[in-house]
Amino acid sequence: MLRAVTRSVSPSIGHCELTHVERVPIDAARAAVQHTAYEAVLIDAGCTLVRVPDAPDQPDAVFVEDTAVVAGGIAVITRPGARSRRAEVDSVEHTLREFIPVVRLEAPATLDGGDVLRLGDRLFVGTSARTNDEGIRQLRAATGLEVIPVPLTGALHLKTAVTALDPETILYQPRWVEPAQFGSVRAVEVDPSEPFAANTLRVNDSLVLPAAHPRTAERCAPFVPGILTVEVDELAKAEGGVTCCSILLDPEG
Ligand code: CIR
């Protein structure tokens, strides 16, 4: 069964890192309620939850995706690009070790899991402000997979700009990525009225996406077996979406 690794919302989330989003007050209790609903959706989609211990003093700790990349039968523990987030990885590594072999990226590598998009056996990695060439090199060496750098402008992470509906279909925001870079895939554009809608999460037969993006959900519906929506607008104030709140551990690899 697919495992989803998650971690609770920190009460300090209001002090999170922000890059492209203006800082507004974040209601940590409301964010926590939305996170619980997100976990319930993952369970509905067929996942078993595995929780990393709470990290109340780490504002961005809920965004576990950035701390590990699961591919090639291993979990690559990242070295996040934001210095304030580097301490998040130890507890994630400790949790993942129970289920899968782990390898750590070492300085001067930096890489955020949000920059890594898997399409079949290929890993596309956004060359964002968080991920450097050495991070990409070490990811390639650790996984043994084809790892392809993708230039990215205007978005925090590659998966802010593009995600996979399935291994042959991407959903993308044309302002931030060029679909031809992903090879001969079918490319679905987000609805222009929903600029942040490219961040979706395929879990078994369900595509999980924010309730705030109904028009993009309609565009995706013909290409996926089912759609599950969840309110995550409070987490979005911390520049988080639906991919970033989990690490999926697939027993099939
Ligand atoms: C950060 O800037 O690192 C967090 N406030 C948001 C991280 C979101 N992560 C993701 O989309 N993978």
Side-chain angles (χ1 to χ4, degrees):
M1 187 182 236
L2 190 61
R3 290 189 174 89
V5 178
T6 63
R7 167 148 58 192
S8 67
V9 174
S10 300
S12 58
I13 189 170
H15 300 289
C16 64
E17 291 285 334
L18 289 178
T19 307
H20 296 285
V21 164
E22 203 179 319
R23 193 171 296 279
V24 294
I26 300 177
D27 180 338
R30 184 163 184 268
V33 168
Q34 293 187 346
H35 186 255
T36 302
Y38 170 82
E39 290 181 322
V41 163
L42 294 182
I43 293 169
D44 279 354
C47 295
T48 303
L49 290 187
V50 175
R51 290 211 175 82
V52 182
D54 298 349
D57 299 332
Q58 295 170 0
D60 282 307
V62 64
F63 302 125
V64 287
E65 170 180 59
D66 294 318
T67 62
V69 176
V70 175
I74 59 169
V76 178
I77 307 300
T78 69
R79 186 165 177 269
R83 212 171 278 273
S84 70
R85 301 200 55 192
R86 301 230 170 112
E88 293 173 28
V89 302
D90 292 338
S91 47
V92 173
E93 176 178 0
H94 193 259
T95 301
L96 292 182
R97 260 184 199 293
E98 284 181 43
F99 303 101
I100 190 167
V102 302
V103 173
R104 273 185 92 120
L105 297 187
E106 301 295 344
T110 65
L111 185 135
D112 279 12
D115 275 322
V116 181
L117 172 68
R118 183 175 176 169
L119 285 176
D121 285 339
R122 293 173 303 165
L123 299 180
F124 291 89
V125 185
T127 55
S128 74
R130 299 285 177 89
T131 294
N132 65 16
D133 291 348
E134 179 60 12
I136 294 174
R137 194 194 65 75
Q138 289 187 25
L139 180 69
R140 184 180 294 123
T143 60
L145 295 174
E146 188 182 352
V147 174
I148 303 156
V150 179
L152 178 71
T153 44
L156 174 59
H157 288 127
L158 181 62
K159 278 187 279 191
T160 323
V162 54
T163 53
L165 304 187
D166 63 39
E168 284 90 40
T169 311
I170 58 167
L171 172 69
Y172 76 104
Q173 164 53 276
R175 288 192 214 161
W176 300 328
V177 279
E178 166 56 59
Q181 288 169 313
F182 302 93
S184 58
V185 288
R186 177 196 288 132
V188 180
E189 263 186 47
V190 297
D191 189 277
S193 65
E194 296 168 350
F196 289 96
N199 186 259
T200 66
L201 180 64
R202 178 70 191 254
V203 185
N204 294 322
D205 283 344
S206 300
L207 185 72
V208 178
L209 49 76
H213 303 144
R215 293 197 173 99
T216 299
E218 251 176 61
R219 290 183 177 214
C220 296
F223 306 108
V224 291
I227 286 190
L228 292 172
T229 60
V230 60
E231 303 266 356
V232 285
D233 55 295
E234 206 62 36
L235 291 160
K237 294 177 186 170
E239 221 167 343
V242 290
T243 63
C244 55
C245 295
S246 57
I247 302 163
L248 299 181
L249 282 177
D250 188 344
E252 313 295 316

